[in-house]
């Protein structure tokens, strides 16, 4: 069986691509580790997806998946992809072999990568050791475990401020540590944080080490102005310093920028390898949202349809 298209990723980018592929009657397989992507990790409200003034990420994801499952020409598979490789098919066409971590190989005439991003680690001493023992990357997943405890959020951007506001509902005290001399969160988030008497912001803080016994007990940071090493007694630390794209499995087939994001043609979402497209947070691009990932998923499929038709592959 050779698919016309394999979509890798079940977040807003991949799911939208799947819906459009179904509408175009493209024989498609959507493969994903799990459905929902980053939005499924957001149990708090999403207030900026058109048509839904307020909805949780989990509810929105359920609606996306329900919509995807209406598409007759789209099969769904739960698996992690390890490798994508082009090869010359018996018919002299350029196809792709997609390999899962279970070593299953699947053939397709085109591929859309929409594997989004994972949280970026801080790379401070002790961070890895205490993952799941006080160090976390998703407040909506683990935050409620820190009821009446003291937590630190590392990162003073929107994600850090939103995490801080979420944690203020549970924790007795929340520190937000920002590496730069000023925070990067937007004004609305800054105003909301100011209203909370539980949240304290510390700027110019470079986190150096996390210490504890079985669980986290202390965080050490360098005050970048005085160069003094200071410590905070905390029970939990959430890292909110951005994300890193899940793109390692296409090395060699695409060009990356310095953040390992895929460079695409923004008209067609094509990569440098013919037949290989990318959509959503995996791509170079400053503004990463559910609606932008969905938009890229739509455009990538329409470009795949043209690619298959022009190359007489349909
Ligand atoms: C805490 C938080 C809050 C946010 N809040 C908002 C908000 O309020 N509004 C908004 O618009 N945006 C918000 N965003 C951003 C938004 O969630 C992302 O921009 C969007 O989810 C990107 O979609 P995507 O499909 O590109 O990638 P993702 O959502 O990251 O989905 C990637 C998918 O690929 C799968 N995958 C990854 N690697 C593999 C592999 N090797 N093999 C198979 N499958 C794989 C994953 O399982 C996942 O299903 C938020 C993000 C975070 C982290």
């Amino acid at each position: 069986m050779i698919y016309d298209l394999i979509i890798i990723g079940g977040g807003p980018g991949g799911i939208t691509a799947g819906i459009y592929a179904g509408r175009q009657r493209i024989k498609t397989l959507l493969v994903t580790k799990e459905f929902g992507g980053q939005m499924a990790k957001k149990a708090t409200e999403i207030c900026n997806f058109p048509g839904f003034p307020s909805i949780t990420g989990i509810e929105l994801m359920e609606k996306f998946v329900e919509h995807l499952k209406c598409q007759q020409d789209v099969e769904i598979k739960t698996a992690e992809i390890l490798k994508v490789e082009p090869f010359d098919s018996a018919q002299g066409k350029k196809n792709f072999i997609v390999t899962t971590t279970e070593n299953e190989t699947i053939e397709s005439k085109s591929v859309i990568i929409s594997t989004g991003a994972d949280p970026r680690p801080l790379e401070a001493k002790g961070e890895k050791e205490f993952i799941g023992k006080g160090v976390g990357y998703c407040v909506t997943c683990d935050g409620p475990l820190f009821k009446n405890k003291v937590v630190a959020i590392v990162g003073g951007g929107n994600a850090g401020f939103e995490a801080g506001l979420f944690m203020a509902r549970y924790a007795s005290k929340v520190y937000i540590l920002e590496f730069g001399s000023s925070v990067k969160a937007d004004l609305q988030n800054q105003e909301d944080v100011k209203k909370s008497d539980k949240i304290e912001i510390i700027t110019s803080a470079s986190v150096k080490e996390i210490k504890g016994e079985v669980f986290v007990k202390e965080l050490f940071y360098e005050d970048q102005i005085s160069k003094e090493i200071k410590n905070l007694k905390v029970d939990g630390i959430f890292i909110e310093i951005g994300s890193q794209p899940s793109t390692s499995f296409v090395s060699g087939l695409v060009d990356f920028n310095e953040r390992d994001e895929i460079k695409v043609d923004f008209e067609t979402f094509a990569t440098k390898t013919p037949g290989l497209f990318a959509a959503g947070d995996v791509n170079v691009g400053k503004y990463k949202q559910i609606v932008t990932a969905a938009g890229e998923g739509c455009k990538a499929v329409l470009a795949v349809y043209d690619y298959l038709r022009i190359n007489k592959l349909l």
Side-chain angles (χ1 to χ4, degrees):
M1 164 77 159
I2 303 173
Y3 290 96
D4 292 329
L5 168 65
I6 291 180
I7 298 165
I8 310 172
I15 294 175
T16 307
I19 293 167
Y20 272 79
R23 305 276 306 158
Q24 298 294 104
R25 311 299 305 261
I26 299 173
K27 200 167 53 179
T28 301
L29 177 69
L30 185 148
V31 190
T32 187
K33 274 198 289 196
E34 53 191 13
F35 269 116
Q38 295 165 63
M39 73 176 168
K41 297 192 176 90
K42 184 165 162 142
T44 51
E45 281 176 317
I46 288 173
C47 306
N48 52 13
F49 192 77
F52 298 95
S54 169
I55 187 164
T56 69
I58 292 158
E59 284 167 336
L60 185 59
M61 183 268 291
E62 282 167 0
K63 288 187 183 297
F64 271 48
V65 174
E66 196 182 305
H67 192 170
L68 172 71
K69 287 186 173 165
C70 301
Q71 310 307 317
Q72 281 174 9
D73 291 301
V74 182
E75 284 175 43
I76 294 168
K77 182 177 181 65
T78 308
E80 181 172 354
I81 298 305
L82 196 62
K83 226 170 13 182
V84 176
E85 292 166 298
F87 83 109
D88 293 322
S89 73
Q91 293 74 32
K93 305 274 186 198
K94 294 264 178 233
N95 282 359
F96 293 89
I97 288 282
V98 172
T99 309
T100 70
T101 47
E102 306 278 284
N103 231 8
E104 187 184 349
T105 54
I106 316 162
E107 193 176 332
S108 180
K109 297 173 193 167
S110 63
V111 173
I112 295 177
I113 306 152
S114 196
T115 41
D118 290 319
R120 193 174 288 281
L122 187 59
E123 279 161 13
K125 205 170 161 197
E127 177 186 2
K128 271 195 194 143
E129 188 187 332
F130 287 105
I131 290 176
K133 295 172 189 159
V135 171
Y137 301 85
C138 175
V139 289
T140 49
C141 316
D142 305 326
L145 301 172
F146 294 86
K147 196 161 185 240
N148 299 326
K149 306 261 186 199
V150 179
V151 299
I153 311 286
V154 184
N158 280 327
F161 270 56
E162 284 177 21
L165 287 164
F166 181 83
M167 284 313 300
R169 290 158 54 190
Y170 300 94
S172 56
K173 170 87 189 171
V174 180
Y175 296 101
I176 297 180
L177 287 91
E178 161 60 35
F179 180 84
S181 56
S182 60
V183 297
K184 312 278 183 302
D186 64 29
L187 288 178
Q188 183 63 56
N189 275 327
Q190 291 191 40
E191 275 171 28
D192 291 345
V193 160
K194 262 188 216 148
K195 286 184 207 143
S196 167
D197 53 6
K198 286 189 187 173
I199 306 178
E200 183 179 333
I201 297 168
I202 305 174
T203 53
S204 304
S206 168
V207 177
K208 297 291 179 198
E209 189 171 359
I210 294 163
K211 278 192 179 170
E213 285 163 13
V214 178
F215 293 99
V216 165
K217 284 200 159 168
E218 246 176 324
L219 173 153
F220 291 81
Y221 68 93
E222 183 184 63
D223 180 325
Q224 307 241 70
I225 296 167
S226 67
K227 298 291 169 204
E228 225 182 301
I229 298 287
K230 299 183 173 174
N231 74 322
L232 296 171
K233 301 257 182 252
V234 291
D235 305 292
I237 299 166
F238 287 96
I239 319 288
E240 294 286 353
I241 56 166
S243 51
Q244 67 189 18
S246 315
T247 51
S248 55
F249 61 93
V250 280
S251 305
L253 299 183
V254 300
D255 287 329
F256 294 116
N257 70 359
E258 65 291 347
R259 288 189 297 277
D260 287 337
E261 294 164 327
I262 298 173
K263 290 185 180 176
V264 288
D265 171 331
F266 273 107
E267 243 178 52
T268 59
F269 293 88
T271 68
K272 71 172 185 184
T273 300
L276 185 61
F277 297 75
D281 279 16
V282 281
N283 283 347
V284 168
K286 201 166 164 194
Y287 307 110
K288 299 194 167 176
Q289 290 284 284
I290 296 167
V291 75
T292 55
E296 291 190 13
C298 153
K299 290 184 192 179
V301 166
L302 297 178
V304 163
Y305 179 70
D306 285 344
Y307 167 83
L308 294 171
R309 214 173 28 82
I310 290 163
N311 290 287
K312 305 199 178 351
L313 296 169
L314 270 182

